[in-house]
């Protein structure tokens, strides 16, 4: 199994201007993910996809494989699937036949480390699985959730109404992707025309390590966590 890390780091952002270049404890956000990928001993290649010359310059300083992403694939409306497809166009045409797995590592997860990356890969290899998603456990069960009926303006159980009355401890644990790591084989990505999820290996991460940078306050929170770890 060959592992290729892909770091998508566009210049723009909805919440924070030039988010991936924002300083977190005096280091650009994107650099945390670059260092994590480098420290992961089971990663064979690292690619950086960006439309930002400053981000690409950082990648070059680490001797990463660089992809200059076109503006059309760097907008708010561009999907992760489109970014991966653009990346695949840079690889040999027969690469999907070689059991190659992509590790999609987003820069907005600075507390995901090289150890996390290696652990996830090891889990896949031990279980002979080529897809894994990092997840975090939800604190509140979605089985107790409601939607508001658009026509009547009244509550309607999202799931079976009986489940909304269950005790929390009687409901199954629920996990959601934390955005830190998505591993998938190129073959699966092509056949499903997107990221495979069902049947993937779950890699469970803590609330702290799952922090996702979306606003300025998240950077301050991450900085505090990092200081507590040193």
């Amino acid at each position: 199994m060959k592992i290729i890390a892909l770091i998508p780091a566009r210049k723009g952002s909805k919440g924070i201007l030039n988010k991936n270049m924002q300083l977190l404890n005096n280091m650009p956000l994107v650099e945390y993910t670059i260092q994590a990928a480098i420290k992961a001993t089971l990663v064979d290649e690292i690619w950086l996809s960006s439309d930002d010359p400053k981000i690409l310059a950082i990648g070059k300083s680490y001797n990463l494989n660089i992809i200059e992403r076109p503006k059309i694939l760097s907008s708010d409306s561009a999907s992760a699937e489109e970014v991966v497809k653009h990346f695949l166009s840079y690889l040999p045409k027969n690469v999907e036949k070689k059991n190659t797995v992509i590790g999609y590592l987003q820069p907005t997860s600075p507390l995901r480390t090289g150890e996390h990356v290696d652990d996830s890969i090891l889990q896949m290899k031990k279980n002979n699985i080529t897809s894994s998603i990092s997840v975090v456990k939800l604190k509140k069960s979605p089985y107790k959730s409601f939607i508001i009926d658009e026509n009547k303006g009244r509550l309607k159980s999202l799931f079976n109404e009986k489940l909304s009355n269950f005790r929390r401890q009687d409901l199954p644990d629920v996990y959601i992707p934390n955005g830190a790591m998505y591993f998938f084989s190129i073959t699966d990505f092509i056949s499903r025309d997107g990221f495979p999820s069902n049947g993937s290996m779950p890699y469970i991460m803590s609330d702290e390590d799952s922090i996702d940078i979306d606003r300025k306050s998240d950077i301050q929170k991450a900085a505090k966590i990092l200081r507590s770890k040193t």
Side-chain angles (χ1 to χ4, degrees):
M1 185 188 296
K2 182 177 181 178
I3 307 293
I4 299 178
L6 173 60
I7 303 172
R10 68 190 181 100
K11 182 177 181 179
S13 173
K14 286 184 178 180
I16 307 174
L17 183 65
N18 297 330
K19 178 166 62 178
N20 291 320
M21 283 296 290
Q22 288 289 314
L23 294 181
L24 172 57
N25 286 358
N26 299 316
M27 189 165 75
L29 186 63
V30 66
E31 206 161 342
Y32 284 89
T33 292
I34 290 174
Q35 290 189 2
I38 290 173
K39 291 176 182 177
T41 60
L42 299 179
V43 169
D44 299 297
E45 294 180 17
I46 306 173
W47 291 72
L48 176 67
S49 170
S50 181
D51 62 320
D52 188 341
K54 292 182 180 179
I55 292 176
L56 293 173
I58 293 175
K60 289 176 182 176
S61 72
Y62 281 97
N63 295 316
L64 305 188
N65 298 292
I66 300 300
I67 297 178
E68 294 185 19
R69 198 192 311 174
K71 295 293 181 183
I72 194 172
L73 294 179
S74 303
S75 66
D76 290 338
S77 60
S79 68
E81 287 82 3
E82 290 174 313
V83 173
V84 172
K85 288 176 182 178
H86 179 252
F87 162 67
L88 291 181
S89 69
Y90 280 76
L91 300 181
K93 292 183 179 180
N94 64 343
V95 69
E96 68 269 16
K97 301 177 182 178
K98 297 181 179 180
N99 201 27
T100 301
V101 170
I102 293 175
Y104 193 81
L105 309 178
Q106 299 187 108
T108 48
S109 299
L111 273 65
R112 173 250 297 107
T113 65
E115 185 177 356
H116 288 134
V117 176
D118 276 344
D119 283 349
S120 185
I121 295 171
L122 279 174
Q123 282 188 12
M124 285 192 296
K125 289 187 173 183
K126 287 179 181 178
N127 290 276
N128 197 28
I129 292 175
T130 57
S131 62
S132 174
I133 299 176
S134 59
V135 296
V136 63
K137 183 180 175 181
L138 280 177
K139 293 180 180 179
K140 294 185 177 181
S141 177
Y143 290 107
K144 289 181 171 288
S145 301
F146 297 87
I147 58 173
I148 298 177
D149 189 294
E150 293 183 358
N151 297 318
K152 299 180 179 179
R154 298 182 183 180
L155 292 176
K156 181 179 179 182
S157 297
L158 186 59
F159 298 96
N160 188 301
E161 184 180 30
K162 290 183 178 180
L163 293 174
S164 68
N165 297 309
F166 277 23
R167 297 187 308 160
R168 176 184 53 81
Q169 55 267 43
D170 292 332
L171 293 168
D173 291 336
V174 178
Y175 300 83
I176 59 170
N178 64 3
M181 296 182 291
Y182 295 87
F183 287 94
F184 49 88
S185 71
I186 294 177
T187 303
D188 282 346
F189 179 86
I190 293 173
S191 65
R192 300 195 195 189
D193 194 30
F195 289 39
S197 53
N198 288 339
S200 294
M201 195 81 195
Y203 184 77
I204 303 171
M205 294 176 62
S206 68
D207 287 336
E208 278 195 347
D209 292 340
S210 295
I211 188 169
D212 180 65
I213 305 300
D214 189 46
R215 51 181 65 89
K216 285 279 189 180
S217 59
D218 294 327
I219 294 178
Q220 297 166 359
K221 183 179 178 180
K224 185 178 181 180
I225 296 172
L226 285 169
R227 286 195 294 270
S228 70
K229 290 177 177 287
T230 57

